[in-house]
């Protein structure tokens, strides 16, 4: 016979699983329809549940979208954190961070989501809050990698925070151009620009980075 505590635990697990399913469905619908064009009814249809069930887990659409964006940012920051805390030289870790933080392809779903969020975040505070949290965490990751390199004697940089902020702004701009297919911006060219800028910020020659792949 299952104890009361066990039953409560099972219900909590089921609720967590249902929330996770709704968050994933919300992400897919947003990628298809855009943040502004997504309705709770669209997510309910995609998951074959009622709108009432969604509102049982998330009081409002804004709550659902906020939680979906936060879940996505936490996953991406965790991947970056694993690089920072992992093996390799400071140059190798910096290069891995740069590679992870630029679009893998022009239709990179993660970047498309963030481009949409930036546009909506101008007017929607709940989206803007998540974006600022994500930008802050990403800049902190860059700052930490650069600081590690300085401590190890691999980098020369007297302002890791400023260097991280400059790299962040440059990478965002170039990634937007690449995603929108503006001009002759291939992924290999984007990565080259990122490496040149990063090398200048930490007092190295860009040749310390591996050759960029063709794309």
């Amino acid at each position: 016979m299952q104890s009361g505590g066990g039953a409560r635990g099972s219900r909590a697990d089921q609720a967590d699983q249902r929330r996770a399913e709704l968050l994933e469905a919300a992400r897919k619908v947003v990628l298809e329809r855009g943040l502004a064009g997504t309705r709770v009814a669209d997510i309910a249809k995609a998951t074959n549940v009622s709108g009432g069930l969604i509102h049982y887990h998330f009081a409002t659409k804004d709550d659902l979208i906020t939680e979906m964006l936060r879940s996505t940012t936490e996953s991406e920051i965790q991947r970056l954190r694993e690089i920072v805390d992992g093996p390799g030289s400071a140059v190798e870790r910096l290069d891995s961070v740069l590679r992870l933080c630029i679009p893998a392809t022009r239709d990179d779903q993660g970047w498309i989501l963030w481009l949409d969020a930036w546009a909506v975040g101008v007017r929607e505070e709940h989206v803007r809050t998540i974006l600022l949290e994500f930008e802050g965490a990403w800049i902190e990751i860059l700052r930490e990698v650069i600081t590690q390199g300085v401590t190890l004697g691999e980098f020369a940089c007297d302002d890791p925070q400023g260097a991280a902020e400059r790299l962040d702004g440059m990478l965002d701009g170039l990634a937007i151009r690449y995603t929108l297919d503006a001009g002759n911006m291939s992924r290999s060219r984007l990565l080259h620009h990122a490496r040149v800028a990063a090398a200048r910020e930490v007092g190295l020659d860009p040749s310390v980075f591996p050759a960029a792949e063709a794309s």
Side-chain angles (χ1 to χ4, degrees), residues 41-202:
D42 300 320
I43 300 168
K45 182 178 180 180
T47 51
N48 197 31
V49 300
S50 68
L53 179 62
I54 293 177
H55 285 300
Y56 173 79
H57 292 281
F58 303 96
T60 66
K61 173 193 164 183
D62 286 355
D63 289 341
L64 174 57
I65 295 301
T66 297
E67 190 61 29
M68 181 272 291
L69 292 173
R70 177 167 283 116
S71 175
T72 301
T73 63
E74 288 175 351
S75 176
E76 295 187 10
I77 291 300
Q78 178 59 35
R79 292 171 65 196
L80 289 166
R81 175 56 55 191
E82 289 171 359
I83 293 173
V84 175
D85 296 336
S89 67
V91 170
E92 290 170 337
R93 289 198 298 275
L94 178 56
D95 193 47
S96 293
V97 167
L98 294 176
R99 284 173 170 273
L100 185 59
C101 289
I102 64 175
T105 62
R106 295 194 195 281
D107 60 353
D108 185 310
Q109 297 297 285
W111 265 96
I112 289 173
L113 176 63
W114 294 123
L115 287 176
D116 190 16
W118 282 336
V120 172
V122 172
R123 294 179 176 82
E124 300 291 343
E125 183 177 358
H126 66 287
V127 174
R128 183 165 62 250
T129 296
I130 299 298
L131 288 172
L132 292 176
E133 290 176 1
F134 184 46
E135 283 291 300
W138 154 233
I139 290 171
E140 174 59 22
I141 290 287
L142 272 175
R143 185 202 64 78
E144 188 172 339
V145 172
I146 294 171
T147 299
Q148 288 175 352
V150 172
T151 301
L152 293 170
E154 294 185 44
F155 297 162
C157 179
D158 59 6
D159 182 15
Q161 179 68 25
E165 291 169 354
R166 287 187 290 273
L167 287 172
D168 169 65
M170 185 211 68
L171 288 170
D172 283 348
L174 289 176
I176 290 170
R177 285 193 61 196
Y178 170 68
T179 302
L180 297 180
D181 198 9
N184 187 31
M185 183 62 68
S186 64
R187 188 178 189 276
S188 61
R189 186 169 177 80
L190 170 55
L191 182 57
H192 172 73
H193 286 321
R195 286 169 164 170
V196 168
R200 288 172 178 169
E201 291 288 358
V202 299

